[in-house]
């Protein structure tokens, strides 16, 4: 070492390091949680707009994974239909709430031309429109129309897209796997005839509890793999920890959501504990089959929205079915 040598000054031209991945995750996680909670409790309009957008982004990410796997779904057609499905179901389940907000008449009378017999007036309005939108023939007709549009698309693009009927199947699968389940969140929010954001928040809280309990239990006690070929990091011990914390959260939630009966809270917690991990495994299987690590980059440090809402996609149909059976 030369003592007379002048020390080399630090290179100030080097780019500064950005925030660590853990810090990035914490920042974006906090922002996303704040937006989620504020839109949920901000009223039915902010709730509907927020989750309609979330559903659209998740569906876009699903189609992105399909394209990575070599398929060519009709992303634009699927995206438009997905938003329509969400809006129609939200309108059907919460039409009385929306009618009150926008001061819409829930019914009005049309008098036919005067005649000697004076027939009774015909009542039409929002209830009749809701009944029409909820009817089975309308949904079947819409499904047939969509199928025709997708077939015509493949005919026009043949042979550039290769596997036409697989492309059609990928488009329809996205609607069944993403759009329809996410739309059922409106049934949870408006199921009682009123807007109840506490029920939605409780569901979100259960899923967070399941993820948190599974992470810490799996990290400290995990030995037996749950599904090693799909997700090597998941263990039965982690699942048990997640289920225990979810059920404990369901019991403790009575202190700040006393209007929801204990039996309802525990049943919902049990559904999340069982079907939430299945939703997570289903999404992991989807990504592995397409060779994709994350569903997207929508949330820096967290991946895509599909990575964050995968549990909802199997939990919501079960909860909606149970709610329909109870009512």
């Amino acid at each position: 070492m030369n003592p007379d040598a002048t020390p080399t000054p630090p290179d100030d031209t080097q780019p500064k390091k950005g925030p660590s991945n853990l810090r990035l995750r914490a920042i974006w996680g906090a922002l996303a949680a704040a937006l989620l909670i504020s839109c949920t409790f901000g009223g039915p309009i902010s709730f509907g707009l927020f989750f309609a957008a979330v559903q659209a982004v998740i569906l876009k990410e699903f189609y992105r994974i399909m394209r990575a796997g070599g398929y060519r779904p009709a992303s634009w057609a699927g995206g438009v239909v997905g938003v329509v499905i969400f809006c129609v179901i939200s309108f059907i389940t919460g039409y009385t709430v929306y009618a009150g907000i926008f001061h819409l008449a829930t019914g009005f009378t049309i008098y036919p031309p005067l005649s000697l017999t004076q027939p009774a007036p015909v009542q039409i309005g929002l209830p009749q429109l809701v009944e029409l939108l909820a009817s089975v023939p309308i949904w079947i007709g819409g499904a047939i129309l969509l199928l025709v549009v997708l077939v015509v698309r493949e005919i026009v693009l043949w042979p550039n897209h290769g596997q036409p009927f697989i492309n059609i199947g990928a488009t329809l699968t996205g609607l069944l796997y993403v759009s329809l389940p996410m739309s059922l969140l409106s049934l949870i929010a408006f199921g009682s005839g009123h807007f109840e954001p506490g029920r939605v928040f409780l569901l979100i809280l259960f899923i967070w509890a399941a993820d948190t309990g599974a992470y810490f239990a799996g990290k400290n006690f995990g030995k037996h793999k749950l599904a090693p070929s799909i997700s090597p990091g998941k263990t039965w011990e982690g699942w048990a920890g997640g289920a225990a914390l979810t059920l404990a959260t369901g019991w403790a939630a009575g202190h700040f959501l006393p209007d929801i009966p204990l039996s309802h809270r525990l049943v919902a917690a049990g559904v999340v504990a069982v079907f939430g991990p299945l939703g997570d495994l289903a999404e992991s299987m989807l990504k592995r089959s397409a060779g994709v690590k994350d569903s997207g980059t929508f949330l820096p440090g967290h991946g895509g929205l599909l990575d964050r809402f995968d549990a909802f996609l199997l939990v919501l149909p079960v909860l909606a079915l149970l709610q329909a059976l109870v009512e």
Side-chain angles (χ1 to χ4, degrees):
M1 180 177 181
N2 185 0
D4 297 328
T6 302
T8 303
D11 186 5
D12 294 333
T13 63
Q14 293 181 354
K16 295 182 180 180
K17 293 183 178 180
S20 65
N21 186 53
L22 182 60
R23 183 182 175 188
L24 194 66
R25 285 175 59 89
I27 292 173
W28 280 97
L31 290 175
L35 181 62
L36 175 64
I37 294 173
S38 61
C39 288
T40 299
F41 285 95
I45 296 177
S46 65
F47 164 82
L49 292 175
F50 176 77
F51 281 103
V54 166
Q55 176 274 146
V57 173
I58 295 175
L59 185 59
K60 179 181 178 182
E61 292 176 350
F62 173 84
Y63 288 146
R64 170 186 171 271
I65 296 174
M66 289 290 98
R67 288 194 297 272
Y71 309 117
R72 296 294 181 269
S75 303
W76 282 104
V80 171
V81 173
V83 172
V84 169
I85 290 174
F86 186 95
C87 292
V88 169
I89 292 180
S90 181
F91 174 72
I92 291 173
T93 56
Y95 81 96
T96 55
V97 176
Y98 291 125
I101 293 174
F102 294 105
H103 305 290
L104 302 175
T106 56
F108 56 89
T109 303
I110 288 184
Y111 287 89
L114 295 175
S115 65
L116 296 176
T117 57
Q118 290 294 327
V122 179
Q123 296 286 337
I124 64 174
L126 281 181
Q128 287 72 28
L129 178 60
V130 169
E131 184 178 354
L132 176 65
L133 291 176
S135 63
V136 174
I138 289 294
W139 285 89
I140 293 178
I144 293 174
L145 177 61
L146 175 61
L147 181 60
V148 170
V149 170
L150 295 178
V151 170
V152 170
R153 170 185 180 262
E154 295 301 324
I155 291 174
V156 172
L157 296 177
W158 172 265
N160 296 329
H161 279 192
Q163 301 172 303
F165 286 95
I166 294 182
N167 297 334
I168 293 172
T171 304
L172 297 177
T173 299
L175 297 175
L176 293 175
Y177 175 59
V178 175
S179 298
L180 186 57
M182 288 301 296
S183 299
L184 295 177
L185 192 61
S186 296
L187 188 61
I188 306 298
F190 298 105
S192 63
H194 307 280
F195 179 60
E196 296 188 78
R199 292 179 177 272
V200 178
F201 175 72
L202 187 60
L203 175 59
I204 296 170
L205 193 63
F206 285 162
I207 291 177
W208 283 349
D211 288 342
T212 302
Y215 173 78
F216 285 103
K219 184 177 180 180
N220 293 283
F221 307 106
K223 293 181 179 180
H224 301 88
K225 301 296 183 181
L226 181 61
S229 61
I230 298 176
S231 184
K234 289 182 172 54
T235 61
W236 283 104
E237 291 83 2
W239 172 80
L245 185 58
T246 305
L247 291 171
T249 303
W251 173 81
H255 294 288
F256 56 90
L257 290 172
D259 294 337
I260 303 177
L262 176 62
S263 58
H264 292 190
R265 299 197 307 267
L266 292 182
V267 168
V271 170
V272 170
V274 174
F275 291 93
L278 290 177
D280 190 19
L281 288 174
E283 197 239 352
S284 296
M285 182 173 61
L286 171 67
K287 292 188 295 185
R288 282 188 175 274
S289 66
V292 174
K293 181 180 179 182
D294 293 322
S295 65
T297 58
F298 191 84
L299 290 175
H302 291 267
L305 289 187
L306 180 55
D307 296 322
R308 303 275 67 86
F309 284 88
D310 51 7
F312 281 75
L313 303 182
L314 290 189
V315 166
L316 284 172
V318 178
L319 287 179
L321 176 61
L322 291 176
Q323 182 166 317
L325 292 175
V326 169
E327 294 178 356

